[in-house]
Amino acid sequence: MKHLVFIECKKALNKRFFIISLSLIFLPLIIILPIMNGSYVFHRAIDVHAQLLTNSPIPLLFPILLVPLYAGSYANEKKDNYLQYVKPRAILSDYVLAKGFVNAVLTFVVVFLMISIPFLFIQYIDPLIGYIHYETEFLNPVSIGTFEVVAQKSVLLYGIVYSFWVGINGALYMTIAYLLTICLKNKFVALSMPFLWWFVMNFVTAVLRIERFSPGCTVFPFSITAQPIWTIFVPFIVLILIMATLIVYIKKTRKVWDD
């Protein structure tokens, strides 16, 4: 199993992966932050971080932005008939598990860095260079939403907890996308379904006026007032159930080697 994970990591960590990862991590800082600076009134560094994410495409396109990392690896190998060479050399369950594990871990790491690196720059590096303009005449901080309760205890703790939360959600969405590529023959449909779920459920919860349970507002809770912390786990638990259902379906139907 360790050998399979090592091989998958070698396949995943290519030039394309690093370009996509670095783009996700640094482009908001390079493009969005200069546009925001001077255009908004900021009182705290975490307000800048929240506004940076809000003004980026990340909350709108979150699942689809992560797909190119490694979620389509199984579908690509099946399309290229590479799996035919894997069959005699690997145990079915170990091979699929290794690919899924690497997909989830790499997605988590990239998303964690995508949230935490801008946070660290804004919170701890920028005060040394003074690039971001803050309003100092009066202090009227804006709530950052549901995770404000964490920030009140420790700003650093907030950065870690929130980065972990977005990272684990990203890993979960890409695990579902990976499992769907096993269940469905159409790669495009399989990889698009997590984003379709994200988009439709954001719309449905808005129409029903229960935005606090929408995927977008539970992962990026900056556009609504602070909600009880338990609300963020409602769509998360639904995703866990979807993932578990897909795993059971794959095991029962033996879809992995379905040609």
Side-chain angles (χ1 to χ4, degrees), residues 57-223:
I58 294 172
L60 179 64
L61 305 174
F62 182 58
I64 205 70
L65 291 175
L66 306 179
V67 164
L69 292 175
Y70 204 57
S73 60
Y74 172 86
N76 293 335
E77 291 183 358
K78 187 171 182 178
K79 179 182 177 182
D80 297 337
N81 292 320
Y82 178 79
L83 296 180
Q84 299 297 330
Y85 300 97
V86 177
K87 285 182 182 182
R89 304 176 184 178
I91 299 174
L92 169 66
S93 57
D94 288 350
Y95 178 75
V96 175
L97 181 60
K99 292 186 76 65
F101 177 78
V102 171
N103 172 54
V105 170
L106 292 182
T107 301
F108 171 81
V109 171
V110 171
V111 177
F112 184 90
L113 295 177
M114 181 178 72
I115 304 300
S116 62
I117 287 182
F119 170 80
L120 292 173
F121 173 82
I122 294 168
Q123 186 70 41
Y124 298 105
I125 298 178
D126 177 73
L128 302 177
I129 60 178
Y131 174 71
I132 301 173
H133 173 73
Y134 292 95
E135 174 59 58
T136 57
E137 293 185 2
F138 64 95
L139 182 62
N140 184 28
V142 179
S143 173
I144 56 173
T146 306
F147 287 88
E148 179 72 40
V149 63
V150 182
Q152 290 174 353
K153 296 181 179 180
S154 168
V155 173
L156 179 59
L157 179 63
Y158 161 78
I160 296 172
V161 169
Y162 182 63
S163 298
F164 181 87
W165 171 247
V166 182
I168 203 69
N169 272 273
L172 185 53
Y173 272 101
M174 289 306 99
T175 298
I176 292 174
Y178 168 72
L179 294 173
L180 286 170
T181 62
I182 299 175
C183 297
L184 304 176
K185 292 184 178 181
N186 191 310
K187 171 187 170 182
F188 176 78
V189 172
L191 295 177
S192 299
M193 286 186 70
F195 173 68
L196 183 63
W197 169 269
W198 177 270
F199 181 80
V200 170
M201 292 309 298
N202 283 334
F203 175 77
V204 170
T205 52
V207 170
L208 298 177
R209 297 184 179 180
I210 51 173
E211 294 94 336
R212 63 187 182 278
F213 297 123
S214 70
C217 289
T218 52
V219 179
F220 303 99
F222 309 123
S223 59

Side-chain angles (χ1 to χ4, degrees), residues 209-252:
R209 297 184 179 180
I210 51 173
E211 294 94 336
R212 63 187 182 278
F213 297 123
S214 70
C217 289
T218 52
V219 179
F220 303 99
F222 309 123
S223 59
I224 60 173
T225 57
Q227 303 294 319
I229 199 70
W230 64 266
T231 59
I232 67 174
F233 294 104
V234 173
F236 184 78
I237 291 173
V238 173
L239 291 178
I240 292 288
L241 293 175
I242 292 173
M243 183 183 70
T245 301
L246 290 173
I247 292 173
V248 171
Y249 173 75
I250 290 169
K251 285 185 175 181
K252 285 189 175 182

